């Protein structure tokens, strides 16, 4: 076919072209061709046009000539000149001088006609606080940071001002503002900036210093009529004060300002309350503010629907009273603490808060202690509310949502880093608050509660705790807001607790009720169980000869018990069952031993199979064949499952979901299932009531037992929940069972401790001091600063009202005399205590020993011991003491001035001698003499008690008493100056330093008393009484002032030690300013010192990415392992380096006084998983990795997941230091480990 020659495009031709698209036969009309260009080609390949070849010349030039990294390292000058020629770089000096534009000081405002709303004019208004930013202010008025930092914040940001820290009275601010106005801009300027060695020199006088704008006001006031201005100035003053409040706080810590908060009433929740508060600013101490307000939930809440006609959220069921009360409080925007049993319906409160915040267009943060719980809640809330996000260490799903679910640690870092989310926050919901008792992580809750800003309301959900009021009182006091405490002991499904002694088909019905649904402990059931067990063991003993019955049972015995029990329960339709077992190995063994048991129907088997396959479809082929998965598949089909930390996370989730559907009939679980999973069963079985808590075996605490037993009974399905305790070897002690079932749950206790991250985060911000944080911790909740302040002002008034002392002449040494006597008393008391606590002292204080007694009734009277109580804590001594006739009851008051007179002259009655028998406390015995008497204690005591009855009152004393009394009187008359006493050092052989020093000091003080002249003055007694009164007030005042000051903080010494450590490692300078190393450590959440040191010592630079991941696994792995890992030589060297750095830090801490030894510090880093992580990062499949170690698969997965978080932190830290190579290496390491089964997304988040 001949080629058609198309003439060139003429002016008359239409500019059209047809384009054939691919091979599909479609055409497209192209119009508007570019002028001067030929029309586009007439066809495309199926995938568009082929790429044009790159211009190699420009590529080579770009890569090898223009990139400075390729320049040779020798003869650099020549090369550089050549490079400049090629690169033709333009010099732009101005680029170095870029200055961000300052914030506009003013804005435009519209003037409208008030009647018609027409625009009349624009006026310029001055803006306040324009210079505030996240880098210099705690105020919510500051401008938002860049969007990239809005979620997590940045570690150079200031946090927002924590609530409860800003109480400044107007006088404070007025005082402060006066100070601030008096700056002389010529003389008072500071010359050396903090952290610098040298500063500016302002001496040159040529430059006229611009007068500060403070003078504007004064100029105005001269010009204008001053009377008019007065009012305006006052208004302005008010505004300035408000503004100053934030400035003042930024410059100084509030404790410096010596706040007197007692006259500032706390802001009340309703506006009406606020008005009342203003009308009576000072309150009488009787009406002392209680921050925690218990809510009465016994009376029904009838007007609920009247008070909330259109609630933010409606449930398909009628709410309980406690839920209604909580919702009423939420509507009033108050904070609540809800303590109720599991499955009582605490989630209702959380759901209502989330719905309210969605209605108000604000945000809610829901924090939980465990990641698994966060995932579950995410799924639950997502179905209810749609607009829900999730933030955990490794997952971030829709972070812009109105409700964010996260772990408490993430909320803590958001608060420290000033995240913008906090601005819109209305509620923070803390689930499972009783986790604050956790020794390792409890401190995080306290930090978060202290750091939350004022506008955020708090919802605390907890299991039942005895001290909910005390805990809420603490939160209320530090946040200056009321906390409404709603606690209910009612269980929606009551529990019945049984003992089970069966172990075969014959005895499988042996189940005895121990605690009924009403909560009564039935001893009858206990004895029946004991009898059943005893009968069987005695038969056994008759046939086989008595064997020693040990507590431990063999596996086959266990198996027979479980088979009997589960047959029995499945006959009675009591499944699903959760069997709590306190060892992972025991869980696995028990589940494996039930291979003969099949608890599911064929329909259920099919459902389990399809769900199992569907859930694991996301795993790679090899991972689906892991031994643990195959084993679990077989167990699950028969309705049996295991749930503990050694199980793979995805398997755990499959098991939880099947369990909540009722397809798992028997679940062997450890305690974490009760903590972290909200899934009730019909029956709960305790394999044992003893557990190992990391240090040793102990019985379950009532709180732990209640938490686990509370999983029994599904609301709306079961009338009662069944709890069964297995008696495998023998029946447990009744006392143990009673303590565990009927005991009080554990009280909430503070686990507050100082961490380096906390200290560094607070040192970054001048306005927040670590001591403020310590003062507000729950461990210091007994410090009621406001109460103390009130008392201090009262004591100061009392002191000023007391008459002044006029010690002259003879009385000139009255004060030293008082101090000597006071010291004598204290020394004597401490010596007595040491004597009584020693073995020899107790031997001396036995029946028949003669004592010198001093108390309200007796002065230096002799007594003889008749009985010693066996109570070691408050030991008392029953003694016969001589006294005046008529003073047996202690009516006659001893001379008021006598207690100070340290004379040792013994009491000798002036009239006839009488006696009394008294129980003496330790402080009543002022000396133990060397004498002993033979006495008959029982007779003396019986005779004395008999004569105390009215009808025998006038009988003469018995022979034993009169002999003893005569003996004591004879001793007193023979030694009127005082009896020889037992010397604690020589006679009682107490050789400890305190006792020896004490007894020497005592002798010195006693001798020095004789040389005082004031004793001889006639007015001595009344003057001494005056001194005593005055000094006791002064002492109490000093004690209170000490309590209010920082010096009384229990953690203060440790704080100074940690600061010393940070200074010697150069994380902060001597002035407390955070240095680069400190900034890096702020990024890291755990083991911050070690990681920062490794970073700065370049330990990780020689390592490959997978090696550095393996090395860092020591920070997240905490278990013991028996397998010795095989490592590369570079890794071995690096491990040595890590250990030496750790040893150095440990020794430094020890030198600075921190009690942890260097060995303990080094011992917390375990390298058992280094080989596993190394192989995993190099791409070895999981099945092979599991064979390298004896650690269970679930633990390995969790460690690698946590390792990923550490790698992220190191990556950010490397960015701060400017080490981009290390940063990218960490990124590569992170990518290498983020694969396959270890990082399969949670089933709950899909």
């Amino acid at each position: 076919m001949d080629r058609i020659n198309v003439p060139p495009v003429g002016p008359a031709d239409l500019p059209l072209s047809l384009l054939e698209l691919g091979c599909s036969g479609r055409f497209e009309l192209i119009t508007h061709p570019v002028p001067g260009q030929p029309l586009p080609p007439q066809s495309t390949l199926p995938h568009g046009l082929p790429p044009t070849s790159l211009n190699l010349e420009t590529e080579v030039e770009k890569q090898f000539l223009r990139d400075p990294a390729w320049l040779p390292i020798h003869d650099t000058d020549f090369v550089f000149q050549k490079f400049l020629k090629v690169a033709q770089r333009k010099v732009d000096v101005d680029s170095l001088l870029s200055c961000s534009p300052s914030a506009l000081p003013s804005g435009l405002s519209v003037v409208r006609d008030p009647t018609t709303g027409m625009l009349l004019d624009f006026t310029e208004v001055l803006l306040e606080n324009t210079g505030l930013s996240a880098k210099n202010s705690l105020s919510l008025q500051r401008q938002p940071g860049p969007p990239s930092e809005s979620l997590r914040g940045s570690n150079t940001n200031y946090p927002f001002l924590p609530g409860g820290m800003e109480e400044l009275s107007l006088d404070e601010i007025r005082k402060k503002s006066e100070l601030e106005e008096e700056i002389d801009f010529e003389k008072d300027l500071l010359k050396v900036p903090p952290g610098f060695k040298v500063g500016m020199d302002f001496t040159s006088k040529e430059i006229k210093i611009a007068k500060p704008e403070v003078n504007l006001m004064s100029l105005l006031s001269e010009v204008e009529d001053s009377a008019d201005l007065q009012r305006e100035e006052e208004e302005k003053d008010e505004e300035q004060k408000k503004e100053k409040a934030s400035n003042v706080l930024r410059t100084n810590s509030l404790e410096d300002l010596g706040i007197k908060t007692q006259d500032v009433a706390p802001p009340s929740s309703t506006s009406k309350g606020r008005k009342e508060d203003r009308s009576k600013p000072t309150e009488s101490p009787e009406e002392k503010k209680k921050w925690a307000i218990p809510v009465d939930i016994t009376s029904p809440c009838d007007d609920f629907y009247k008070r909330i006609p259109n609630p933010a959220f409606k449930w398909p069921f009628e709410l309980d009273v406690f839920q209604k009360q909580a919702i009423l409080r939420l509507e009033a925007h108050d904070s609540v603490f809800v303590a109720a049993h599991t499955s009582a319906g605490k989630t209702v409160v959380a759901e209502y808060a989330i719905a309210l915040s969605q209605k108000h267009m604000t945000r809610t943060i829901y924090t939980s202690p465990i990641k698994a719980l966060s995932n579950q809640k995410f799924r639950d809330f997502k179905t209810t509310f749609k607009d829900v996000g999730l933030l955990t260490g490794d997952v971030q799903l829709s972070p812009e949502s109105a409700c964010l679910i996260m772990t408490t640690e993430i909320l803590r870092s958001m608060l420290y880093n000033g995240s913008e989310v906090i601005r819109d926050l209305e509620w923070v919901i803390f689930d499972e608050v009783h986790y604050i008792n956790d020794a390792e992580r409890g401190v995080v809750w306290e930090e978060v509660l202290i750091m939350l800003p004022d506008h955020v309301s708090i919802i605390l959900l907890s299991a039942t705790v005895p001290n909910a009021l005390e805990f809420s009182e603490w939160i209320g006091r530090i946040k200056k807001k009321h906390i409404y405490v709603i606690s209910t002991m009612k269980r929606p499904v009551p529990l019945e607790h049984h003992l089970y002694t069966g172990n075969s088909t014959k005895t499988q019905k042996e189940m005895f009720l121990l605690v009924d649904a009403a909560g009564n402990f039935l001893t009858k059931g206990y004895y029946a169980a004991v009898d059943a067990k005893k009968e069987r063991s005695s038969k056994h003993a008759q046939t086989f000869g008595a064997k020693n019955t040990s507590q431990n049972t063999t596996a086959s015995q266990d198996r027979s018990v479980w088979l009997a029990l589960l047959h029995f329960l499945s006959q009675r339709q009591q499944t699903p069952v959760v069997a709590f077992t306190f060892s992972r190995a025991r869980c696995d063994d028990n589940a494996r031993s039930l291979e003969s048991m099949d608890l599911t129907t064929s329909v259920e088997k099919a459902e389990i199979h399809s769900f199992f396959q569907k859930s694991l479809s996301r795993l790679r082929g090899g991972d689906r064949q892991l031994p643990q998965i195959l084993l679990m598949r077989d167990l699950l089909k028969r309705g049996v499952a295991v749930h503990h930390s050694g199980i793979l996370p995805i398997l755990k989730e499959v098991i939880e979901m099947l369990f909540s559907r009722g397809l798992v009939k028997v679940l062997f679980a450890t305690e974490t299932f009760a903590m972290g999973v909200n899934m009730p069963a019909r029956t709960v079985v305790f394999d044992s009531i003893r557990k190992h808590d990391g240090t040793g075996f102990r019985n379950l605490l009532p709180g732990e037992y209640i938490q686990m037993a509370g999983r029994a009974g599904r609301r709306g399905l079961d009338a009662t929940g069944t709890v069964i305790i297995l008696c495998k070897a023998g029946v447990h002690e009744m006392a143990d069972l009673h303590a565990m079932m009927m005991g009080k749950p554990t009280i909430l206790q503070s686990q507050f401790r100082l961490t380096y991250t906390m200290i560094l985060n607070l040192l970054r911000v001048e306005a927040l001091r670590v001591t403020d944080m310590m003062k507000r911790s729950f461990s210091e909740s007994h410090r009621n600063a406001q109460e103390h302040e009130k008392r201090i002002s009262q004591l100061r008034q009392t002191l000023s009202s007391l008459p002044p002392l006029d010690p002259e002449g003879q009385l000139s040494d009255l004060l030293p005399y008082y101090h000597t006597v006071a010291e004598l008393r204290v020394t004597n008391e401490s010596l007595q205590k040491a004597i009584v606590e020693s073995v020899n002292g107790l031997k001396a204080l036995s029946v028949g020993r003669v004592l010198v007694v001093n108390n309200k009734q007796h002065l230096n009277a002799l007594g003889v011991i008749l009985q010693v109580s066996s109570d070691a804590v408050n030991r008392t001594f029953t003694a016969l003491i001589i006294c005046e006739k008529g003073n047996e009851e202690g009516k006659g008051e001893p001379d008021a001035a006598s207690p100070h007179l340290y004379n040792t002259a013994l009491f000798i009655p002036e009239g006839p001698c009488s006696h009394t028998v008294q129980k003496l406390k330790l402080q009543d015995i002022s000396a133990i003499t060397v004498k002993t008497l033979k006495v008959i204690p029982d007779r003396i005591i019986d005779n004395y008690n008999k004569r105390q009855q009215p009808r025998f009152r006038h009988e003469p004393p018995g022979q034993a008493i009169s002999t003893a009394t005569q003996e004591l009187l004879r001793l007193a008359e023979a030694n009127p100056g005082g009896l020889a006493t037992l010397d604690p050092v020589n006679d009682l052989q107490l050789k400890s330093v305190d006792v020896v020093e004490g007894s020497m000091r005592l002798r010195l003080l006693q001798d020095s008393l004789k040389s005082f002249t004031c004793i001889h003055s006639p007015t001595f007694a009344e003057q001494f009484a005056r001194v005593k009164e005055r000094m006791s007030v002064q002492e109490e005042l000093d004690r209170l002032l000490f309590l209010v000051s920082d010096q009384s903080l229990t953690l203060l010494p440790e704080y100074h030690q940690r600061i010393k450590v940070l200074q010697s490692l150069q994380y902060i300078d001597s002035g407390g300013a955070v240095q680069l190393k400190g900034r890096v450590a702020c990024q890291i959440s755990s083991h911050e010192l070690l990681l920062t040191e490794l970073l700065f010592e370049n330990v990780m630079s020689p390592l490959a990415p997978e090696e550095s991941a393996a090395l860092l696994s020591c920070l997240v792995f905490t278990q013991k392992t028996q397998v010795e890992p095989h490592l590369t030589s570079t890794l071995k060297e690096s491990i040595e380096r890590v250990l030496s750095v750790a040893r150095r830090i440990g020794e430094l801490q020890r030198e600075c006084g921190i009690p942890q030894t260097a060995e303990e510090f080094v011992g917390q880093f375990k390298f058992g998983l280094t080989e596993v992580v190394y192989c995993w990062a190099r791409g070895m499949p999981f099945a092979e990795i599991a064979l390298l170690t004896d650690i269970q698969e679930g633990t390995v997965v969790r460690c690698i997941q946590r390792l990923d978080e550490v790698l992220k932190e190191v990556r950010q830290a490397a960015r701060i230091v400017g080490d981009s190579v290390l940063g990218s290496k960490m990124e590569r390491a992170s990518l290498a480990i983020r694969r396959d089964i270890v990082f399969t997304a949670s089933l709950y988040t899909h």
Side-chain angles (χ1 to χ4, degrees), residues 198 427 455 577 791 1201:
V198 291
W427 304 104
H455 65 276
V577 180
R791 184 83 185 107
Q1201 286 173 343

Side-chain angles (χ1 to χ4, degrees), residues 492-505:
V493 183
L495 299 181
E496 292 181 339
H497 305 258
H498 301 77
L499 291 174
Y500 185 80
T501 58
N503 65 355
S504 64
T505 32

Side-chain angles (χ1 to χ4, degrees), residues 100-156:
S100 57
S102 59
L104 290 173
S106 61
L108 288 181
S109 161
V110 176
V111 181
R112 292 178 184 275
D113 185 303
T115 48
T116 61
M118 288 279 290
L119 293 184
L120 300 178
D121 192 8
F122 291 97
T123 59
E124 189 177 9
V125 285
L126 287 177
L127 300 177
E128 290 179 349
N129 298 344
T130 48
L132 300 187
S133 75
K135 309 293 181 216
N136 62 13
S137 157
L138 302 167
S139 160
L140 282 163
Q141 252 79 63
R142 71 194 196 194
Q143 58 192 32
S148 60
E149 289 175 5
S150 67
L151 181 65
R152 298 276 174 120
S154 141
N155 77 331
T156 53

Side-chain angles (χ1 to χ4, degrees), residues 573-688:
Q573 263 109 43
Q574 292 255 280
T575 55
V577 180
V578 177
F580 283 112
T581 314
F582 302 112
S583 114
R584 290 185 302 230
R586 189 75 109 359
C587 275
D588 298 339
D589 296 345
N590 285 344
R592 279 200 209 98
S593 68
L594 301 179
E595 69 265 353
S596 59
M597 207 142 210
D598 191 348
L599 300 167
T600 50
T601 62
S602 54
V603 179
E604 289 174 330
K605 281 189 173 54
E607 202 179 329
I608 290 171
H609 180 78
S610 67
F611 182 80
F612 195 82
Q613 294 307 102
K614 196 173 89 209
S615 303
L616 298 186
S617 60
R618 286 196 261 116
L619 294 184
R620 274 197 12 203
D623 287 344
R624 284 184 220 161
Q625 301 304 312
L626 287 172
Q628 197 183 69
I629 290 183
L630 298 176
L631 172 74
M632 200 59 71
R633 192 178 68 198
D634 298 340
L635 285 176
L636 279 169
K637 281 192 188 151
R638 300 202 314 277
V640 182
V642 182
H643 186 291
H644 56 67
S645 60
I647 304 288
L648 292 163
I650 187 162
L651 264 186
K652 274 206 277 204
E653 292 181 344
V654 171
I655 291 163
E656 286 159 17
M657 287 172 167
L658 286 172
F659 183 79
S660 60
R661 291 187 189 186
L663 295 170
V664 171
K665 308 296 181 186
V666 182
L667 177 63
F668 290 97
T670 50
E671 199 178 355
T672 44
F673 182 77
M675 256 330 241
V677 185
N678 199 355
M679 293 185 179
R682 186 160 212 172
T683 308
V684 164
V685 181
F686 286 91
D687 175 74
S688 147

